[in-house]
Amino acid sequence: MKSYNSFEVTQQQVREAAKLLNLDAPTVELLLWPQREFKFTIPVKMDSGEVKIFHGYRIQHNYARGPAKGGIRFHPDETVDTIRALAGWMTWKTAVVDLPLGGGKGGVICDPRTMSDRELENLARGYVRAVVQNIGIDKDIPAPDVYTNPQTMAWMMDEYETLLQRHQPGVLTDKPLQIGGTEGRRDATARGGVITVREACKVFGIDPKGRYAIQGFGNAGQRAALLHEELLGGGKLTAVCDSRGGVYSEEGLNPKDLVTHKLKTGSVKGFPDGKEIPRDAVLGLDVDILYPAALENAINEKNANDIKAKIVCELANGPTTPDADLILHKKGVHVIPDILASAGGVTVSYFEMVQDSYSYFWSEQLVQQRLDEKLTKAYHSVKEAMLEKEVHPRLAAMVVGVARVAEACKLRGWV
Ligand code: GLU
């Protein structure tokens, strides 16, 4: 399989959108690169007594429309380029949903699955000590991403407030409810994705009550399984997989039981009411809707031809390679691109920032209603760009996002 550098992929996406928008050369150059990058080391005393040095990054891709915003990932395969790519996608994501924010991302090269809670806490606090001058409610607001969660955010927020000697919960989002979190954040990414599927089904006349499959069963995948039926009024969950294996059922898997099994055992593997299948088989099943909800480059030139779904809803960041994108487009598959389909998370993060800033909190119903309005509007603005420019949905979403960011850069007099 061809290997991809995700950052080069995002740069190519920017160039293509910029061409359709006739942007001038300095604007394109500005949008191709992160505005600021921070690289640091974090020493952590491990449980064994030995000190380990971890490498951390925080990258602010663009802050023309507002402070940088995006998650922090703890993952062994992170590199400066994966984080640059992810930071860029946050810029386009916040712009597509029209939030007054820019894009950023952070990461630490580590394997949290082999670390104790104490080690993870020290790593989280060490991360904040390294970037304390560079993050903040009016600079850059982190959130969780792969292998980080509300507990990680709680430790980070506490470290930040301790260093500043000031109460400032809005410095990062997706915190536990008791310390400045918002209702509706846990299922926000999946909810946003399912809302875009609902709109796509209406536009393309596809029955939303058909079969669906989920690749990746972390937070977004689990929540999509639970919400699909609730929001679309039906549907049969035919297969799911995670990093350890896959499970399939012709009659449909029960989402609630599956989530319980995953929480208990750490995997969907061994789920008693389904047949075991290889994890890669999930992508090629005969379903109407497919949710890739794992990592980058899952759908590539090797397996794109096998995809039978009518709609691919990208809950993960960058799950489809550029070659695979063209194959899917030719096959007539409607891909709802990551920067739109997975934007529900950051949208509710923004709602959390707003609530933290006036210390007055909304009901879950209000959060969900406002999320629905934002994502529905974003879906239709992308669809309109798709029809107007006669391009595939990913390029259309990039056109919408890049146009908004370019305009902000121009208004500021940067270019
Ligand atoms: N990590 C999530 C994303 O990639 C959420 C980011 C945020 O809430 O800032 O969209």
Side-chain angles (χ1 to χ4, degrees):
M1 197 182 92
K2 213 154 129 182
S3 79
Y4 286 93
N5 175 316
S6 299
F7 181 49
E8 285 168 13
V9 169
T10 59
Q11 288 189 314
Q12 189 52 28
Q13 291 170 342
V14 173
R15 282 191 200 97
E16 282 172 29
K19 201 164 156 203
L20 285 168
L21 291 164
N22 292 320
L23 296 184
D24 55 42
T27 306
V28 181
E29 184 65 13
L30 182 65
L31 300 183
L32 284 177
W33 295 96
Q35 289 191 269
R36 287 195 183 128
E37 302 189 337
F38 305 100
K39 159 74 183 70
F40 40 91
T41 48
I42 312 166
V44 174
K45 191 179 264 172
M46 307 301 278
D47 293 344
S48 63
E50 159 213 18
V51 174
K52 228 170 141 175
I53 308 298
F54 292 93
H55 294 268
Y57 300 89
R58 184 72 194 171
I59 294 182
Q60 296 162 354
H61 176 266
N62 190 285
Y63 38 84
R65 289 171 48 86
K69 179 88 193 83
I72 298 173
R73 200 178 257 207
F74 285 179
H75 199 278
D77 300 335
E78 257 6 277
T79 65
V80 63
D81 275 353
T82 56
I83 298 163
R84 282 174 171 159
L86 291 158
W89 280 321
M90 288 310 298
T91 299
W92 316 125
K93 202 186 278 196
T94 53
V96 165
V97 237
D98 206 9
L99 305 177
L101 296 169
K105 204 85 173 195
V108 178
I109 305 169
C110 67
D111 190 351
R113 291 164 298 187
T114 64
M115 294 170 68
S116 70
D117 275 358
R118 196 200 61 82
E119 292 168 345
L120 286 171
E121 177 174 350
N122 285 346
L123 183 62
R125 290 184 184 276
Y127 186 98
V128 170
R129 285 196 298 275
V131 293
V132 66
Q133 300 290 346
N134 313 113
I135 61 171
I137 51 169
D138 46 8
K139 281 186 194 165
D140 181 0
I141 302 101
D145 202 81
V146 177
Y147 293 144
T148 49
N149 54 40
Q151 177 61 71
T152 326
M153 296 303 109
W155 290 325
M156 289 185 163
M157 180 194 77
D158 181 68
E159 190 67 24
Y160 184 78
E161 291 189 342
T162 305
L163 291 169
L164 260 66
Q165 288 294 294
R166 191 181 301 154
H167 192 58
Q168 203 139 99
V171 61
L172 37 78
T173 58
D174 203 351
K175 299 177 291 293
L177 264 183
Q178 301 85 334
I179 47 173
T182 177
E183 295 284 356
R185 177 63 181 83
R186 283 283 75 198
D187 71 8
T189 305
R191 184 175 289 274
V194 179
I195 289 167
T196 62
V197 168
R198 182 191 68 202
E199 294 308 302
C201 285
K202 278 189 216 156
V203 170
F204 294 97
I206 294 167
D207 179 11
K209 299 193 184 73
R211 294 143 68 96
Y212 66 105
I214 302 176
Q215 182 255 352
F217 214 55
N219 179 50
Q222 290 172 31
R223 301 289 164 156
L226 297 168
L227 281 173
H228 183 98
E229 235 179 290
E230 185 190 316
L231 288 177
L232 303 180
K236 201 186 268 182
L237 176 58
T238 309
V240 302
C241 69
D242 60 22
S243 59
R244 290 197 220 155
V247 48
Y248 170 86
S249 166
E250 187 56 41
E251 290 77 49
L253 301 156
N254 181 308
K256 268 199 195 117
D257 294 347
L258 202 54
V259 170
T260 309
H261 179 83
K262 166 95 185 183
L263 294 179
K264 237 186 356 212
T265 67
S267 173
V268 295
K269 216 178 151 177
F271 182 63
D273 303 332
K275 203 174 93 193
E276 201 164 313
I277 53 167
R279 76 189 169 120
D280 294 340
V282 170
L283 293 173
L285 290 175
D286 189 10
V287 294
D288 299 296
I289 297 151
L290 175 67
Y291 293 94
L295 289 173
E296 294 91 81
N297 304 337
I299 303 178
N300 49 60
E301 78 276 11
K302 263 176 79 182
N303 57 22
N305 267 313
D306 303 336
I307 286 181
K308 297 179 187 68
K310 300 184 182 96
I311 296 176
V312 171
C313 174
E314 295 185 337
L315 291 179
N317 288 306
T320 309
T321 67
D323 289 342
D325 225 8
L326 293 179
I327 298 171
L328 294 182
H329 184 53
K330 265 198 209 126
K331 277 165 65 95
V333 180
H334 181 61
V335 178
I336 309 176
D338 49 4
I339 57 170
L340 170 63
S342 74
V346 73
T347 302
V348 175
S349 272
Y350 162 64
F351 296 160
E352 184 172 329
M353 291 166 58
V354 172
Q355 294 168 79
D356 282 338
S357 74
Y358 59 22
S359 278
Y360 187 73
F361 292 86
W362 310 348
S363 68
E364 186 171 18
Q365 200 191 2
L366 186 57
V367 171
Q368 290 172 356
Q369 180 198 324
R370 288 184 167 160
L371 172 65
D372 201 323
E373 280 163 16
K374 278 273 179 208
L375 266 288
T376 301
K377 196 165 170 213
Y379 179 84
H380 289 281
S381 55
V382 170
K383 189 204 71 194
E384 270 149 37
M386 199 173 114
L387 299 178
E388 194 200 313
K389 303 274 183 201
E390 296 178 357
V391 292
H392 58 81
R394 185 179 323 279
L395 189 47
M398 283 299 289
V399 164
V400 172
V402 169
R404 288 179 180 160
V405 178
E407 204 185 346
C409 295
K410 193 154 239 72
L411 285 167
R412 283 175 178 275
W414 290 350
V415 279

